[in-house]
């Protein structure tokens, strides 16, 4: 089972899922927790190039290709082997982030980004995608209030960019209803963590 977590900045997805993972492990499930961009040494090196605030000259297509390259390496080295061993892989961000950020907000087009990602992933879609939906104004305010969360190059985009990201995610949830579940991330941390666990358990028990 391959589960991905998506959402605009400051949705609290990582905190919610950490709590859910603890419960799943207590129930005996074997979980591999990972993230994009990154998750393996080569992919983390690509991540550093993408997110470096100094790289203000980065071209949007270069950015999209780097995310796809990092994704490919991560699939080969980590996701595919773990899924093959019967583990549950839970990944912070995946292909839908490229569709929303590069395809939607950067304006490169969802179909163009889907095409390069079909090449990169050989058509590997998640079994389940949790969309932690939040108004970007609320999400960005959460990040600003959280001193331990480092601000990256994408965080520095204008509010309109982040609104576009959110709207594209909501559009993708309609396009892929079989794998998307929307979680209202404006609720309390406890409520969001509980909803996350319930959704994952429901899918595991299906
Ligand atoms: P990260 O610090 O991991 O952010 P978050 O905690 O919000 O997941 O940074 C990843 C950033 O990269 C985030 O701003 C979203 C962006 N991103 C893309 O633009 N395209 C992608 O394909 C992926 C995976 C991430």
């Amino acid at each position: 089972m391959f589960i991905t977590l998506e959402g605009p900045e400051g949705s609290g997805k990582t905190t919610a899922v950490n709590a859910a993972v603890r419960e799943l492990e207590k129930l005996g499930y074997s979980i591999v927790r990972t993230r994009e961009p990154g998750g393996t040494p080569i992919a983390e090196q690509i991540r550093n190039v993408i997110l470096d605030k100094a790289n203000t000259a980065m071209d949007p297509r270069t950015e999209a290709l780097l995310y796809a390259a990092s994704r490919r390496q991560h699939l080969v080295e980590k996701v595919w082997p773990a899924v093959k061993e019967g583990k549950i892989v839970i990944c912070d961000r995946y292909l839908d982030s490229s569709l929303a950020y590069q395809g939607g907000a950067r304006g490169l087009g969802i179909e163009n980004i889907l095409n390069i990602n079909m090449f990169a992933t050989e058509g590997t879609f998640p079994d389940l995608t949790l969309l932690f939906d939040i108004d970007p104004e609320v999400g960005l305010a959460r990040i600003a209030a959280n001193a331990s969360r480092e601000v990256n190059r994408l965080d520095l985009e204008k509010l309109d960019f982040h609104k576009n990201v959110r709207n594209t995610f909501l559009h993708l949830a309609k396009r892929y209803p079989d794998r998307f579940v929307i979680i209202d991330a404006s609720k309390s941390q406890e409520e969001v963590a509980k909803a996350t666990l319930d959704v994952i358990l429901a899918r595991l028990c299906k």
Side-chain angles (χ1 to χ4, degrees):
M1 167 93 57
F2 179 31
I3 301 174
T4 58
L5 317 171
E6 301 285 6
E9 311 296 326
S11 68
K13 60 184 162 43
T14 311
T15 313
V17 174
N18 286 346
V21 166
R22 279 194 294 275
E23 294 305 316
L24 289 167
E25 283 175 338
K26 272 191 218 154
L27 294 170
Y29 289 104
S30 180
I31 315 268
V32 173
R33 190 78 171 78
T34 186
R35 71 159 179 191
E36 272 204 10
T40 71
I42 294 173
E44 289 286 336
Q45 288 177 50
I46 301 173
R47 174 189 175 92
N48 291 338
V49 175
I50 303 175
L51 296 182
D52 189 340
K53 279 180 287 198
N55 285 338
T56 49
M58 190 177 294
D59 172 78
R61 288 181 186 227
T62 307
E63 180 182 281
L65 289 164
L66 287 174
Y67 276 115
S70 151
R71 176 160 306 130
R72 168 81 195 171
Q73 192 63 29
H74 181 240
L75 279 174
V76 169
E77 284 196 81
K78 199 160 185 180
V79 178
W80 285 336
V83 169
K84 210 168 165 196
E85 284 170 20
K87 296 190 173 132
I88 300 167
V89 177
I90 303 185
C91 185
D92 248 329
R93 299 197 181 280
Y94 184 63
L95 168 150
D96 298 299
S97 275
S98 283
L99 301 178
Y101 282 80
Q102 284 67 51
R106 281 268 187 261
L108 293 175
I110 292 178
E111 300 311 317
N112 286 335
I113 300 301
L114 192 55
N115 282 339
I116 60 166
N117 275 279
M118 289 303 278
F119 174 73
T121 67
E122 297 177 58
T124 300
F125 282 90
D127 300 297
L128 172 65
T129 300
L130 303 181
L131 172 55
F132 292 82
D133 181 49
I134 188 121
D135 182 331
E137 278 177 77
V138 178
L140 292 171
R142 280 184 183 171
I143 291 182
N146 179 358
S148 64
R149 161 71 156 75
E150 207 188 317
V151 173
N152 69 48
R153 197 169 54 80
L154 280 287
D155 295 332
L156 296 173
E157 289 292 337
K158 303 250 172 345
L159 185 58
D160 271 358
F161 178 93
H162 294 289
K163 286 188 177 161
N164 207 329
V165 168
R166 182 199 197 186
N167 290 337
T168 312
F169 273 131
L170 292 171
H171 164 79
L172 292 170
K174 284 206 190 104
R175 175 167 168 170
Y176 299 108
D178 292 346
R179 68 178 170 89
F180 262 93
V181 176
I182 300 178
I183 291 185
D184 179 355
S186 68
K187 296 204 168 139
S188 72
Q189 261 184 25
E190 292 72 28
E191 284 171 299
V192 177
K194 178 163 186 324
T196 304
L197 181 63
D198 288 350
V199 169
I200 295 176
L201 279 176
R203 188 58 62 110
L204 288 172
C205 298
K206 222 174 168 186

